[in-house]
């Protein structure tokens, strides 16, 4: 239980902190281990490099100083001997020797963390058995060592830091940084090429879901991604064939039923306009309207191609059924959207027709922002209770207030509107209107 709880919490934490896109997530998964490994390896290499080089340099420095002190001990300690030793130390060994008279100064406090100081102290202790004084902190990049060469003689060495311990690791760091950047650049290019087929597949699926042309989509990328793309194309072809077969079948059924209804009308026309004939004619007309409504619902958008159309003109055409002064239109002029004109017009006609039928005033608002069309149809009618709004979208269901009828009164108005909105890749919701009635909210990506 504890492990599962920790795993869930950790997973939720990562989900909140990780970016949403696949490319940045994959990039983090790739970069994080590389950076971590590179950091660890760089630290280990630099640590080993610094330790080894510092040890060798400190040992060599301590031996050179010890040798000069030994030469002084073996000499006659005259001015000429001191001059020879100073020339050897400065010209040949670059140790910066100055011979002074006196005693060693008091020892300095050891730095809190200085590997060079520790290493030099250790090597001087091993290489010579004389008192010495060491300072590497008071002068930048200079090591000062004082050795009690005789009772009243002090050898003062002021040597550059690079002569005594490893100080320059910039080239190594630059080389590692350059190699890391190069490898990461190659990885980013490779990863982007692997992600692009997935985004192309998602874009093609979105276009297909909204009834748009897929363009020049071709499965590519890794084997699994190509398999998914080919499966998507197969699915598209099967759906297209099914729609084509259904459309052909419905066209045949529609033709046969219209033929029968036409024959009924001719036979009723022969019978005249008697009191018994008029109800039959009304029934035939009702059957005609119901047939048209059912066919429109089943066909959906009937393979209509999206086009760039003027939004204000579409709304204006759909509000022709409004009574004088009953409809208020709030649509910015000159706004164009890419939709299926006939299907979208049917959506508008059903929503506005329902509102006009049971309300005194209706307001139609349309806006396009962030590639999203938002359409609002508000009225001051009786509305639909919240618990019945989901039922209102069911085909052939007639609510008590008949707010889900279309122009034929078949109970398909909202069902057709919802089907058209979803065919465009959008949605339709019912909400409370600020006017006190019902609000139909349509959102469609454009």
């Amino acid at each position: 239980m504890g492990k599962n709880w920790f795993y869930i919490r950790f997973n939720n934490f990562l989900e909140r902190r990780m970016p949403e896109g696949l490319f940045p997530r994959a990039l983090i998964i790739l970069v994080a281990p590389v950076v971590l490994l590179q950091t660890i390896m760089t630290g280990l290499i630099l640590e080993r490099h610094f330790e080894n080089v510092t040890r060798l340099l400190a040992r060599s420095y301590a031996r050179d100083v010890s040798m000069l002190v030994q030469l002084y001990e073996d000499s006659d300690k005259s001015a000429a001997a001191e001059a020879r030793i100073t020339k050897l130390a400065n010209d040949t060994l670059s140790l910066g020797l100055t011979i002074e008279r006196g005693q060693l100064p008091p020892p300095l406090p050891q730095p809190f963390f200085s590997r060079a100081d520790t290493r030099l102290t250790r090597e001087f202790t091993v290489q010579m058995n004389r008192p010495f004084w060491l300072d590497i902190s008071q002068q930048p990049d200079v090591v000062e060592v004082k050795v009690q060469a005789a009772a009243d003689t002090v050898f003062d060495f002021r040597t550059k830091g690079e002569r005594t311990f490893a100080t320059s690791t910039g080239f190594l760091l630059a080389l590692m940084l350059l190699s890391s950047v190069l490898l990461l650049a190659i990885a980013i290019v490779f990863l982007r090429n692997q992600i692009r087929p997935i985004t192309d597949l998602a874009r093609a699926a979105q276009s297909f879901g909204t009834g748009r042309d897929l363009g020049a989509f071709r499965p590519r990328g890794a084997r699994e991604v190509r398999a998914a793309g080919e499966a998507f194309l197969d699915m598209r072809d099967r759906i297209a064939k099914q729609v084509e077969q259904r459309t052909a079948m419905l066209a045949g059924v529609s033709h046969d039923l219209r033929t029968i209804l036409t024959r009924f009308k001719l036979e009723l026309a022969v019978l005249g306009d008697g009191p018994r004939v008029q109800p039959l004619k009304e029934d035939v007309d009702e059957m005609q309207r119901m047939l048209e409504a059912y066919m429109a619902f089943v066909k959906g958008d009937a393979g209509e191609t999206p086009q760039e159309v003027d939004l204000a003109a579409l709304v204006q055409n759909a509000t022709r059924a409004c009574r004088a002064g009953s409809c208020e239109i709030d649509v910015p002029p000159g706004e164009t959207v890419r939709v299926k004109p006939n299907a979208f017009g049917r959506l508008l006609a059903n929503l506005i027709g329902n509102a006009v039928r049971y309300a005194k005033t209706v307001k139609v608002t349309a806006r396009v922002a962030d590639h999203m069309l938002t359409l609002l149809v508000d009225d001051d009618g009786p509305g639909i209770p919240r618990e019945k709004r989901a039922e209102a979208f069911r085909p052939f269901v007639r609510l008590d207030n008949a707010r889900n009828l279309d122009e034929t009164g078949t109970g398909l108005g909202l069902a057709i509107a919802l089907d058209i909105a979803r065919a465009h890749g959008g949605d339709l919701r019912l909400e409370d209107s600020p006017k006190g009635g019902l609000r139909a909210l349509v959102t469609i990506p454009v």
Side-chain angles (χ1 to χ4, degrees):
M1 183 64 181
K3 292 183 179 179
N4 292 336
W5 177 85
F6 177 78
Y7 172 78
I8 293 173
R9 293 294 297 271
F10 181 71
N11 189 54
N12 292 338
F13 173 80
L14 288 181
E15 285 294 331
R16 289 194 301 268
R17 298 298 187 273
M18 291 282 283
E20 295 183 358
L22 177 60
F23 177 74
R25 286 194 176 194
L27 190 60
I28 290 176
I29 294 173
L30 176 66
V31 169
V34 172
V35 171
L36 181 60
L37 180 61
Q38 192 77 0
T39 303
I40 295 174
M41 293 303 298
T42 301
L44 292 176
I45 292 174
L46 290 180
E47 168 72 17
R48 184 61 59 86
H49 168 78
F50 185 86
E51 181 68 23
N52 290 338
V53 175
T54 298
R55 183 179 67 252
L56 294 176
L57 290 177
R59 183 174 299 170
S60 173
Y61 180 55
R63 286 177 176 176
D64 290 345
V65 171
S66 178
M67 178 192 69
L68 294 174
V69 173
Q70 188 64 42
L71 288 176
Y72 181 75
E73 288 184 353
D74 296 340
S75 69
D76 57 3
K77 297 181 177 59
S78 63
E82 291 181 356
R84 289 195 303 272
I85 293 174
T86 302
K87 180 177 176 60
L88 175 63
N90 296 336
D91 295 346
T92 304
L93 301 178
S94 300
L95 296 180
L97 171 62
T98 301
I99 299 178
E100 302 173 349
R101 305 302 173 188
Q103 303 295 320
L104 295 178
L108 296 174
Q110 189 173 2
F112 175 71
F113 182 76
S114 176
R115 294 187 177 181
D117 186 279
T118 304
R119 175 57 65 180
L120 284 172
T121 301
R122 183 183 305 167
E123 294 298 335
F124 271 91
T125 303
V126 172
Q127 298 299 328
M128 65 176 56
N129 56 356
R130 290 183 173 274
F132 65 90
W133 178 90
L134 177 66
D135 175 31
I136 67 170
S137 60
Q138 293 189 5
Q139 301 182 55
D141 199 28
V142 173
V143 174
E144 184 177 4
V145 177
K146 295 177 182 290
V147 180
Q148 195 74 47
D152 60 344
T153 304
V154 174
F155 280 16
D156 185 4
F157 297 90
R158 296 176 182 266
T159 312
K160 291 184 178 181
E162 62 184 15
R163 176 68 172 79
T164 58
F165 56 85
T167 58
S168 178
T169 57
F171 177 74
L172 182 60
L173 287 174
L175 182 61
M176 289 185 174
L177 180 61
L178 180 62
S179 62
S180 299
V181 172
L182 180 61
L183 290 175
L184 287 177
I186 295 174
I188 289 174
V189 173
F190 177 78
L191 183 60
R192 187 179 293 277
N193 290 334
Q194 297 304 308
I195 296 296
R196 188 175 290 116
I198 300 177
T199 58
D200 291 343
L201 177 58
R203 192 178 300 113
Q206 184 178 15
S207 299
F208 178 69
T210 55
R212 299 174 183 175
D213 185 19
L214 299 184
F217 173 72
R218 181 177 58 86
R220 58 193 181 91
R223 181 177 65 251
E224 294 80 3
V225 179
R226 290 200 308 271
E230 292 169 357
F232 166 74
L233 291 178
D234 292 341
M235 178 193 68
R236 182 200 62 175
D237 295 339
R238 288 196 300 270
I239 292 176
K241 290 180 181 179
Q242 291 176 358
V243 171
E244 182 181 357
Q245 292 173 356
R246 188 184 69 171
T247 303
M249 180 190 69
L250 291 175
V253 172
S254 174
H255 178 268
D256 294 341
L257 291 178
R258 286 194 180 99
T259 301
I260 296 174
L261 288 175
T262 301
R263 191 160 58 243
F264 282 171
K265 289 182 179 180
L266 291 175
E267 292 174 354
L268 291 175
V270 174
L271 296 178
D273 296 326
R276 295 184 178 180
V277 176
Q278 189 60 33
L280 295 177
K281 290 183 177 181
E282 294 177 356
D283 289 342
V284 171
D285 291 338
E286 179 68 16
M287 291 177 62
Q288 182 74 32
R289 290 193 297 272
M290 293 176 65
L291 175 62
E292 297 296 336
Y294 294 157
M295 296 299 295
F297 174 70
V298 175
K299 286 182 179 180
D301 56 26
E304 187 180 1
T305 303
Q307 302 176 18
E308 291 286 342
V309 295
D310 185 80
L311 180 60
L314 275 179
V315 176
Q316 194 69 41
N317 291 333
T319 55
R320 291 179 179 177
C322 294
R323 298 181 298 273
S326 63
C327 283
E328 177 186 355
I329 300 176
D330 182 10
V331 182
E335 190 75 68
T336 59
V337 292
R338 186 173 182 81
V339 295
K340 301 172 183 178
N342 295 330
F344 193 75
R346 191 180 308 125
L347 178 149
L348 287 170
N350 285 349
L351 295 180
I352 296 175
N354 274 334
V356 170
R357 187 177 294 113
Y358 296 99
K360 295 180 180 179
T361 60
V362 177
K363 181 177 182 181
V364 181
T365 307
R367 292 287 185 273
V368 177
D370 298 329
H371 303 286
M372 184 67 68
L373 167 62
T374 302
L375 176 70
L376 302 175
V377 180
D378 293 297
D379 64 58
D380 59 355
I384 299 177
R386 292 188 179 184
E387 63 273 10
K388 292 186 178 181
R389 289 175 185 173
E391 186 180 0
F393 290 109
R394 294 173 56 191
F396 310 112
V397 173
R398 300 191 184 194
L399 302 179
D400 294 339
N401 56 9
R403 287 302 298 267
N404 61 332
L405 301 182
D406 62 352
E407 62 272 13
T408 63
T410 55
L412 292 172
L414 292 179
I416 292 176
L418 178 62
D419 185 65
I420 294 173
R422 289 180 174 174
H424 282 78
D427 198 10
L428 167 62
R429 300 196 306 272
L430 300 179
E431 300 176 352
D432 294 326
S433 172
K435 299 175 68 67
L438 186 68
R439 162 177 284 184
L441 170 61
V442 180
T443 54
I444 294 177
V446 292

